Amino acid sequence: LGYTRSCFSSIRRRSPPTTPSRSILTTSLNSMTEQRSLAGSDVDWLGPTGTPGSLERLCSISLRACQLMNPLIAAIYQQLVSSNQRDGKNAPEKSTVKKVKQDNSAFTIADGMVQRLLIKVLFSQIKFRDIVGEEEEEHDEGKEKEDDNTDEWWSQVEGLTIPQELRPLVDSTRSELESLAGEYLSPDNNNSGELCNHYYERLTVFIDPIDGTREFSSGKGEQCSVCIGFADEHGKSVGGVVYRPLSLPKPTWVAGAKSERYAVCDFGEKQIVSTNNDKDGIADGTFSADKMGGSLLSSNGSISPFVESLIEELKFERVKSGGAGNKMMMLLENSISGNDVDGSMLYIQDRGVSRWDTCAAEAILESFGGKLMKLTHFVESKEEEEKRRKQKDGEFYTYLASQTNLDFIPGTANLTKYNCRASPAIDLQPNQKALDVDRVKPYSNLCGLVALGREWNTIEGTIHIKEAMRRAATRNPPSFD
């Protein structure tokens, strides 16, 4: 990486996120919304960077869109916290800003509205290859085009009605994104539109509008993020933005595109611009097996016996936090700060996330000299590795729109309510293996993940991790659920 160590001297790795007390949270919400408005103001915006049609340009504009949506996201979060407080007092009023989906995962109007603003407004004038979002909008057949731009359609999302007090903010955010798209992404703009569509038509966009919805809906908003990833025609992640709208004292974000030597981040204290000179996929890191100790990032919930064993083998501490995008940012912040505070950090899990969780994260980590790969690549035997190479099954996930899972390996993953297709209904049994690709969702990451910072992305570093994983797997094999 083309930076000097001194430029990161002011960055500190934050302590593991904790949920603030309700009293503290309530008193800070009004000021939070005010800060978000300032963060989205024109004071910080000097126009997009990068040439028209470049990944840097696309990431820069997407980042600006996140800033413009920030006040709306913060206002919805305030509504959620207030709703949770009423629910805690057994109030009869039912929440109008969140619900539970069919797979028992959380959904809020922020999930639906952020995705709608990105797809229907910001990216509406670009002819991408495909756009894949976590939240699929349901429409009556034949009515999508006529309903999309009515006031009624913008006042509801997935059966939830936008509270009246939030509608002016929805309208103003929509208007700001329309202006942003019209100026920099429109095909009618001779300065950028023609070049944009020529290159961008090969890209597939993966969007997680609110990564960490469970945390967002339960008062842990600092752990959520907006993830926007871009993949090329081969399904390789090539660029992305991850934006934490509710971190304090201001939003934090990272963006990158390795092929263009574009890597930028702002962790709240100092904005960093860096370039990546790595050409062969193995960075010139600083791994040393003598520097034992560190942290392994995990979800806030339970972890598998395999991950527990791996933590012991690595002699690491467990750090709990929500959201794949947020954990990637924690890892990256720790990596670029030189691991000075609490040692090195890894993000490894054998339980499922999805393509929209990892597309942006993978591209960004690579732009900073790190890597995000399938866990199966690390725990496979020599025979399995040889078989994978013959079948040209890569170590990275495939990011393309598809009706079937392009990285499915029969008999590897366990079927769960999160990765199993809802129809036809399946009576799931414990440890039931997925043997047929038609039984799993097309965008579930069924092969686990390993995310490395630059210091671990070396031959020595990966060997050290593989050896620890294989020892852990002999005690407790990965769950891959």
Side-chain angles (χ1 to χ4, degrees):
L1 293 175
Y3 55 73
T4 60
R5 178 65 189 86
S6 61
C7 70
F8 296 111
S9 59
S10 66
I11 297 183
R12 300 190 306 271
R13 187 181 72 79
R14 284 182 291 276
S15 300
T18 56
T19 304
S21 68
R22 290 300 178 199
S23 59
I24 295 175
L25 187 56
T26 303
T27 56
S28 65
L29 279 171
N30 290 333
S31 60
M32 178 189 292
T33 304
E34 187 175 323
Q35 289 177 28
R36 300 296 170 256
S37 298
L38 290 174
S41 69
D42 290 334
V43 173
D44 300 318
W45 177 244
L46 300 176
T49 62
T51 58
S54 66
L55 285 167
E56 178 179 346
R57 185 84 157 192
L58 188 56
C59 289
S60 178
I61 293 169
S62 299
L63 175 60
R64 178 55 179 166
C66 291
Q67 292 174 330
L68 294 173
M69 292 187 293
N70 208 333
L72 176 60
I73 294 171
I76 295 172
Y77 182 66
Q78 182 171 356
Q79 289 264 346
L80 279 166
V81 173
S82 299
S83 174
N84 291 340
Q85 290 174 331
R86 290 195 301 270
D87 292 344
K89 296 178 181 178
N90 296 318
E93 183 177 354
K94 185 179 179 180
S95 172
T96 60
V97 292
K98 67 177 180 178
K99 67 176 184 178
V100 177
K101 295 192 291 187
Q102 188 175 6
D103 64 1
N104 206 36
S105 60
F107 174 87
T108 73
I109 60 172
D111 293 272
M113 191 54 62
V114 168
Q115 178 165 307
R116 186 181 292 181
L117 287 165
L118 289 172
I119 295 177
K120 298 296 184 180
V121 182
L122 182 69
F123 296 146
S124 63
Q125 300 183 64
I126 303 179
K127 296 179 181 179
F128 287 114
R129 177 188 177 112
D130 283 296
I131 300 180
V132 179
E134 179 181 11
E135 311 302 340
E136 296 183 6
E137 298 247 33
E138 296 181 357
H139 295 272
D140 293 334
E141 187 175 353
K143 290 188 176 182
E144 181 174 352
K145 289 185 178 180
E146 64 183 72
D147 288 346
D148 273 3
N149 286 310
T150 65
D151 291 339
E152 181 181 359
W153 189 71
W154 281 98
S155 67
Q156 299 182 20
V157 58
E158 293 299 300
L160 296 175
T161 300
I162 309 298
Q164 194 66 42
E165 60 270 25
L166 293 180
R167 293 185 189 180
L169 195 50
V170 170
D171 292 340
S172 62
T173 305
R174 178 182 166 194
S175 177
E176 288 176 320
L177 262 64
E178 286 175 346
S179 298
L180 180 67
E183 184 170 0
Y184 297 110
L185 298 176
S186 172
D188 298 328
N189 187 332
N190 293 327
N191 293 325
S192 60
E194 189 174 329
L195 286 172
C196 287
N197 280 316
H198 177 69
Y199 176 70
Y200 297 158
E201 64 187 10
R202 295 180 289 170
L203 299 178
T204 299
V205 188
F206 279 81
I207 297 172
D208 191 342
I210 300 291
D211 176 41
T213 300
R214 180 174 58 182
E215 286 72 26
F216 184 80
S217 61
S218 60
K220 299 178 182 177
E222 74 280 1
Q223 298 179 22
C224 76
S225 61
V226 180
C227 301
I228 307 171
F230 306 101
D232 64 18
E233 65 269 33
H234 306 294
K236 180 69 179 77
S237 178
V238 293
V241 173
V242 176
Y243 182 88
R244 286 190 296 212
L246 299 172
S247 55
L248 292 173
K250 68 173 187 174
T252 52
W253 50 265
V254 291
K258 178 183 175 182
S259 64
E260 298 179 8
R261 297 164 57 90
Y262 169 66
V264 294
C265 60
D266 186 344
F267 287 111
E269 296 185 7
K270 187 173 183 179
Q271 182 170 328
I272 305 300
V273 180
S274 178
T275 60
N276 188 341
N277 296 316
D278 173 30
K279 295 180 181 180
D280 60 5
I282 298 294
D284 183 19
T286 57
F287 171 79
S288 172
D290 295 331
K291 295 181 179 179
M292 299 301 291
S295 304
L296 191 141
L297 293 160
S298 77
S299 68
N300 288 311
S302 63
I303 57 176
S304 71
F306 166 76
V307 174
E308 290 179 346
S309 298
L310 180 59
I311 291 172
E312 293 175 3
E313 293 291 345
L314 290 169
K315 297 181 173 60
F316 273 23
E317 298 292 331
R318 178 185 176 187
V319 175
K320 298 180 182 181
S321 195
N326 169 58
K327 286 194 277 287
M328 181 278 296
M329 286 189 64
M330 293 174 67
L331 182 151
L332 182 58
E333 182 177 7
N334 178 271
S335 177
I336 64 178
S337 65
N339 320 125
D340 286 344
V341 180
D342 295 321
S344 60
M345 184 174 283
L346 294 169
Y347 173 29
I348 300 169
Q349 66 180 64
D350 57 347
R351 289 180 167 168
V353 292
S354 300
R355 301 293 198 281
W356 41 74
D357 297 308
T358 56
C359 183
E362 182 176 314
I364 292 167
L365 279 175
E366 288 192 2
S367 72
F368 280 94
K371 192 171 283 189
L372 188 152
M373 297 168 286
K374 299 174 184 175
L375 173 60
T376 49
H377 172 66
F378 277 75
V379 296
E380 64 190 0
S381 65
K382 290 184 178 180
E383 293 77 14
E384 290 170 331
E385 181 180 359
E386 183 64 25
K387 181 180 178 181
R388 174 178 59 81
R389 292 185 185 280
K390 288 181 179 179
Q391 295 176 344
K392 296 182 179 180
D393 180 24
E395 60 192 74
F396 303 102
Y397 280 106
T398 307
Y399 299 96
L400 291 173
S402 175
Q403 295 299 311
T404 60
N405 197 305
L406 299 176
D407 295 292
F408 177 72
I409 303 174
T412 297
N414 291 318
L415 288 172
T416 70
K417 62 183 178 181
Y418 299 111
N419 65 29
C420 182
R421 285 186 186 270
S423 179
I426 299 175
D427 184 16
L428 297 177
Q429 303 299 319
N431 301 317
Q432 180 178 349
K433 295 295 183 181
L435 302 176
D436 187 340
V437 69
D438 292 331
R439 309 290 290 273
V440 298
K441 294 179 180 179
Y443 302 116
S444 292
N445 288 1
L446 302 173
C447 300
L449 70 84
V450 178
L452 312 175
R454 177 174 178 264
E455 71 281 6
W456 283 99
N457 187 23
T458 65
I459 294 174
E460 296 82 3
T462 53
I463 289 175
H464 184 79
I465 295 171
K466 283 184 177 182
E467 290 175 348
M469 285 187 179
R470 287 169 180 166
R471 292 194 302 270
T474 59
R475 298 163 57 189
N476 294 290
S479 296
F480 293 121
D481 55 4

